[in-house]
Amino acid sequence: MTSLRPAAFGPRLLATTALLGALALTPAVHAQTTNAPPPAAAIRTDAPTDKPWMDTSLSAEARADLILKDMTLAEKLQLTFGYFSTDQKWQVTPIKNYVYPTEGLPDSAGFVPGIPRLGIPNQWQTDAGVGVATQRSPNPRLRTALPSGINTAATWNPAVAEAGGAMIGNEAFLSGFNVQLAGGMDLLREARNGRNFEYGGEDPLLAGIITGHEIKGIQSQHVISTLKHFAFNDQETNRNQMDHQIEDKAGRESDLLGFQIAYETGNPGSVMCSYNRVNGFYACENDWLLNQVLKTDWGFKGYVMSDWGATHSTTQAANAGLDQQSGWAFDRSPYFAGALHEAVNNGYVSEARANDMAKRILWAMFEVGLFDHPVNGDQAITIDYAAHGKVTQTDAEEGMVLLKNTAGLLPLSKTAKSILIVGAHADVGVLSGGGSSQVYPIGGSPVPDEFAPNGFPGPKTWYPSSPMKGIQARTSATVTFLDGKDVKAAAAAAKKADVVLVFGEQWTGEGIDAPDLNLPTLGIPGGQDALISAVAKANKKTVVVLQTGGPVVMPWLSQVGAVVEAWYPGTNGGEAIARVLTGEVNPSGHLPATFPASLDQTPRPILEGDPKLDADSHPMSNYNIEGAAVGYKWFDKKGLKPLFPFGHGLSYTTFALSGLTASADGKGLKASFSVKNTGAVSGKEVAQVYVAGNGWEAPKRLGAFKKVEVAPGESQSVSVTVDPRLLATYDSASKTWNIAAGDYKVMLATSAADIAQTVTVHLDAQTLNVKGE
Ligand code: BGC
């Protein structure tokens, strides 16, 4: 494991007189790097109140207009250029001659200097979607980690996502940050993607709603959240070079629809453009994505920031819609420092566009409250970690998916006298995903980094929340642990135990994709799959608990009694796992992604763009193969039977869904039904409504969903509405969503493959604008 943080390019010495000339225009030159302007001083907290833009009764737009009037061009452009804020001495491949800005927060993702004269606050940026991260450092900040994003999507519960967002927003604010690089929602087109754990699964509606609510929660704490990585950044292999080909219509009906729903739900201050190219152009200089789709069609008023190392030009990027270059010195050149100023002076970038760039950044700062609720340094000491522990635990408990449970093996029997736990360090902790999103655990990682001293996306980190201790605290059985390295010893011990819990793990991280969908071998003879198989052969009462970044295959599935997918369950994950296994919590997670039976079932059995196989400097992949038919839509269209379908998730109780009625409602459709708990314990069911029309990319789409809690014997009436875009097809020429007149099937289901009831509803023809209105 020798991967390094892949976006890092060493800064090159400036060769052109144009750039040297441009740098002379930048304010306050006290060299922080060899070739970029330094950050200005931090905001004064005693900013005078006579500034008209500080009138909080005005709209963010009006306030941004007022302050812009008082700004020089240099001040406006200063806002468009951000710095990496991490001490290079800790980095595996230090950026040469780079000294991080003194006003930035140590070992954080970024810093954009404010303008004290006008009371414009500094922007202190931190990763990411599961909590306050720290870049690689010997002194990381220790914070609460939510479970992985895919776990939160598996809750199918927007309220849980929003509470999680508010929790991490609060920790960010109290840590001195006012920009959170969260809101990851690239659709799961590629099951091997090393960053699937940061995202919301394969469906645009579910991923969009969950991510949007997370963003809403973060911004409720006066911390700007990004929505990222825009767009089609669905694999890590060759991520800086890949050129994903997708037609406008297919894109708008899939990944872009997910981003659009997340944007409408969460109103993010910023959108982060991604590393890859789309249809020939880098995402951060892609006029179609940034100017047309995001800003013109959807009406996004905030700013586009680049991913770290994703800016490739000055004029093209600025004119295509990039508003802020991030994380200098990750890029090859400080494109938005002096060179941008010169491009404006020369007319290559209009002054109106320069104003627009600054206005968008200021709009977001006013809208989210950065002026009115300034961060006040590091107050992490005041963080309520106990309360936040409950938030992350609830998320983990609601996202854990009971995939299989034969003969009532779970919850664990109270009469079991001996429980054997095997593998994945389940005696001491739970796994987290790696990369820039890494949140470091309070108490430290209980397992030494397997890959030390190698770098990014390590260190492989575990949270010190022990599933074994959690189980022991809830049973009178004798609980023993084996690390699983000795397969024979594990099988022999399994024979003697009443129940065996085998923990399987797949560590994934930013910058690398999983080589395949099997659990990694981890130096175990035959690998984890052989270990699980051997243990299951020895004892039928084997429960497998998985901690994976996304879908995996399970060659041992028919041999084991039960399987729980626990994803990366966060700070209190061990406790959450113990509570689900022992029945203290009834599992209610449902898969936000299809688990394929093999890679052969997926649109690209061989990943495209692997530089080891093809050194092409412009590697491409054709997303038009599946187009908008991502995930279950692809499986439906091809008639493939997955290992586990999208939406699947069992419970310790049973539910009956019935009484479905559907009718046209406004521009969309309304469906009503009831959910009855037919079992003996209280539980939560995820009712899913799929819709089917003619001429679509696939036989059906998820149209709506609702998670409901029902007591045993009771019923609940539920009504949901289906967004008209999910009943329509997109027409690129007219930029409209069109619902064809005709009969539509409406299906009530508990997964994409388990349909309880179907009704037909007639819809009249309708044309909606690009926003679906
Ligand atoms: C990642 C982003 C992250 C940024 C800052 C990049 O490598 O792709 O998601 O926000 O680094 O750390």
Side-chain angles (χ1 to χ4, degrees):
M1 182 70 49
T2 49
S3 309
L4 307 174
R5 189 168 157 98
F9 301 108
R12 294 186 309 190
L13 286 178
L14 294 178
T16 64
T17 42
L19 272 175
L20 283 172
L23 279 177
L25 295 169
T26 54
V29 177
H30 61 101
Q32 291 287 322
T33 74
T34 48
N35 53 357
I43 183 181
R44 294 198 330 247
T45 46
D46 60 345
T49 51
D50 59 346
K51 299 178 166 69
W53 51 84
M54 291 308 291
D55 179 349
T56 55
S57 69
L58 298 174
S59 68
E61 169 120 34
R63 296 174 74 181
D65 280 334
L66 277 171
I67 198 167
L68 267 182
K69 282 195 197 138
D70 267 29
M71 292 172 76
T72 64
L73 179 61
E75 284 171 336
K76 290 172 192 165
L77 295 182
Q78 184 185 316
L79 299 180
T80 70
F81 189 72
Y83 299 78
F84 190 37
S85 186
T86 288
D87 197 332
Q88 292 304 294
K89 69 176 177 250
W90 320 130
Q91 302 308 300
V92 184
T93 39
I95 304 173
K96 218 171 146 204
N97 296 330
Y98 183 70
V99 179
Y100 78 95
T102 46
E103 298 89 343
L105 291 172
D107 303 325
S108 65
F111 176 74
V112 183
I115 300 168
R117 179 182 86 78
L118 302 165
I120 299 177
N122 294 330
Q123 292 163 59
W124 286 281
Q125 303 166 320
T126 183
D127 286 298
V130 300
V132 179
T134 305
Q135 302 283 327
R136 202 178 173 83
S137 151
N139 307 307
R141 37 184 81 68
L142 312 178
R143 298 290 182 271
T144 310
L146 291 172
S148 53
I150 197 167
N151 176 103
T152 303
T155 69
W156 294 63
N157 190 338
V160 167
E162 196 165 326
M167 185 277 276
I168 66 174
N170 176 258
E171 292 202 6
F173 187 89
L174 293 176
S175 303
F177 294 104
N178 52 14
V179 181
Q180 182 90 21
L181 310 174
M185 83 122 280
D186 292 279
L187 281 198
L188 199 151
R189 276 181 187 266
E190 173 47 64
R192 287 159 291 198
N193 180 4
R195 297 187 89 173
N196 280 337
F197 76 93
E198 293 190 54
Y199 304 143
E202 70 191 24
D203 181 75
L205 176 70
L206 178 63
I209 294 280
I210 293 292
T211 310
H213 279 275
E214 182 205 359
I215 292 167
K216 204 169 165 191
I218 292 170
Q219 294 198 158
S220 71
Q221 304 300 304
H222 311 298
V223 173
I224 289 174
S225 176
T226 55
L227 169 62
K228 74 185 188 184
H229 308 86
F230 195 65
F232 303 100
N233 185 185
D234 307 327
Q235 71 177 54
E236 289 299 284
T237 301
N238 228 342
R239 66 177 178 176
N240 295 295
Q241 303 302 329
M242 285 309 291
D243 183 0
H244 300 293
Q245 304 292 308
I246 183 126
E247 285 166 10
D248 177 72
K249 171 180 155 58
R252 304 250 193 182
E253 292 175 351
S254 57
D255 301 49
L256 296 179
L257 180 58
F259 277 104
Q260 190 175 11
I261 292 171
Y263 154 64
E264 292 161 356
T265 309
N267 189 27
S270 183
V271 167
M272 185 191 290
C273 51
S274 54
Y275 286 126
N276 53 291
R277 296 181 255 212
V278 184
N279 297 334
F281 295 93
Y282 282 110
C284 291
E285 51 187 51
N286 194 310
D287 180 76
W288 169 61
L289 281 179
L290 307 183
N291 278 342
Q292 295 179 42
V293 174
L294 178 67
K295 292 182 174 177
T296 307
D297 296 343
W298 300 350
F300 175 63
K301 285 188 177 166
Y303 63 104
V304 177
M305 71 164 80
S306 64
D307 201 341
W308 274 228
T311 306
H312 297 272
S313 61
T314 300
T315 302
Q316 172 149 353
N319 288 338
L322 179 65
D323 302 301
Q324 190 178 67
Q325 176 180 5
S326 307
W328 172 255
F330 268 83
D331 292 304
R332 291 181 192 277
S333 187
Y335 299 106
F336 277 21
L340 179 59
H341 201 133
E342 179 161 297
V344 176
N345 284 344
N346 290 340
Y348 289 110
V349 174
S350 69
E351 206 165 333
R353 173 65 187 125
N355 279 334
D356 177 53
M357 294 164 85
K359 181 173 169 183
R360 287 172 171 280
I361 297 164
L362 291 161
W363 176 86
M365 294 171 85
F366 281 118
E367 175 77 5
V368 180
L370 272 60
F371 278 82
D372 307 327
H373 305 270
V375 284
N376 193 10
D378 188 348
Q379 300 177 56
I381 195 145
T382 63
I383 291 174
D384 187 346
Y385 290 108
H388 292 182
K390 290 203 177 108
V391 176
T392 176
Q393 191 173 320
T394 302
D395 192 339
E397 288 168 357
E398 283 221 9
M400 234 167 263
V401 185
L402 180 60
L403 291 171
K404 171 176 178 174
N405 191 16
T406 35
L409 187 49
L410 289 177
L412 291 171
S413 156
K414 300 239 182 311
T415 58
K417 292 207 169 57
S418 59
I419 299 174
L420 172 68
I421 299 182
V422 183
H425 305 287
D427 54 335
V428 290
V430 290
L431 188 57
S432 89
S436 60
S437 66
Q438 185 69 60
V439 175
Y440 288 82
I442 299 155
S445 177
V447 182
D449 181 8
E450 277 171 49
F451 304 121
N454 293 320
F456 200 78
K460 184 176 178 185
T461 300
W462 301 74
Y463 296 114
S465 173
S466 155
M468 181 178 176
K469 278 193 194 144
I471 290 161
Q472 183 68 84
R474 292 172 171 81
T475 174
S476 51
T478 310
V479 183
T480 45
F481 176 78
L482 288 175
D483 65 11
K485 298 268 187 258
D486 182 340
V487 175
K488 276 194 189 138
K495 240 187 202 134
K496 293 188 210 136
D498 286 340
V499 186
V500 191
L501 309 175
V502 197
F503 282 69
E505 53 135 314
Q506 179 210 38
W507 182 65
T508 59
E510 180 181 342
I512 32 169
D513 292 324
D516 51 44
L517 298 184
N518 285 87
L519 295 176
T521 54
L522 300 179
I524 298 169
Q528 295 184 82
D529 285 334
L531 169 69
I532 296 172
S533 215
V535 166
K537 242 184 229 154
N539 190 332
K540 271 208 262 178
K541 290 190 176 172
T542 291
V543 177
V544 179
V545 181
L546 294 172
Q547 292 172 80
T548 69
V552 287
V553 292
M554 305 173 198
W556 32 259
L557 183 62
S558 63
Q559 299 171 266
V560 305
V563 184
V564 174
E565 173 58 82
W567 314 107
Y568 302 142
T571 292
N572 281 19
E575 192 73 358
I577 289 172
R579 274 168 44 92
V580 166
L581 295 182
T582 55
E584 210 167 294
V585 166
N586 190 351
S588 63
H590 283 241
L591 292 181
T594 308
F595 275 40
S598 78
L599 277 171
D600 289 339
Q601 293 184 323
T602 67
R604 273 167 292 281
I606 297 176
L607 197 66
E608 307 229 32
D610 184 346
K612 289 196 288 302
L613 304 175
D614 179 3
D616 190 354
S617 63
H618 195 129
M620 301 219 239
S621 81
N622 183 7
Y623 280 1
N624 292 310
I625 293 174
E626 72 276 32
V630 179
Y632 64 92
K633 294 171 183 165
W634 170 263
F635 278 74
D636 276 358
K637 183 176 159 177
K638 296 281 173 187
L640 296 165
K641 193 177 179 313
L643 187 64
F644 289 108
F646 173 82
H648 172 71
L650 304 172
S651 163
Y652 296 150
T653 188
T654 47
F655 297 97
L657 278 64
S658 63
L660 175 66
T661 58
S663 55
D665 181 60
K667 294 184 169 152
L669 178 161
K670 184 175 162 184
S672 303
F673 50 89
S674 80
V675 179
K676 181 168 188 193
N677 184 338
T678 51
V681 286
S682 183
K684 292 179 184 168
E685 176 62 302
V686 174
Q688 301 155 43
V689 171
Y690 293 87
V691 285
N694 286 325
W696 290 3
E697 73 284 0
K700 66 175 183 293
R701 301 170 177 163
L702 179 70
F705 60 89
K706 180 97 185 165
K707 192 171 207 178
V708 284
E709 181 160 21
V710 197
E714 305 221 323
S715 282
Q716 239 195 73
S717 305
V718 181
S719 281
V720 293
T721 52
V722 178
D723 185 306
R725 285 168 292 190
L726 294 166
L727 299 161
T729 51
Y730 184 77
D731 177 56
S732 297
S734 59
K735 291 196 173 186
T736 53
W737 294 91
N738 297 286
I739 300 179
D743 289 341
Y744 289 75
K745 268 201 217 161
V746 179
M747 291 158 266
L748 177 60
T750 51
S751 87
D754 294 283
I755 314 287
Q757 213 187 336
T758 303
V759 295
T760 302
V761 61
H762 184 86
L763 297 179
D764 295 335
Q766 267 198 83
T767 298
L768 306 138
N769 69 16
V770 70
K771 294 183 179 165
E773 292 164 348

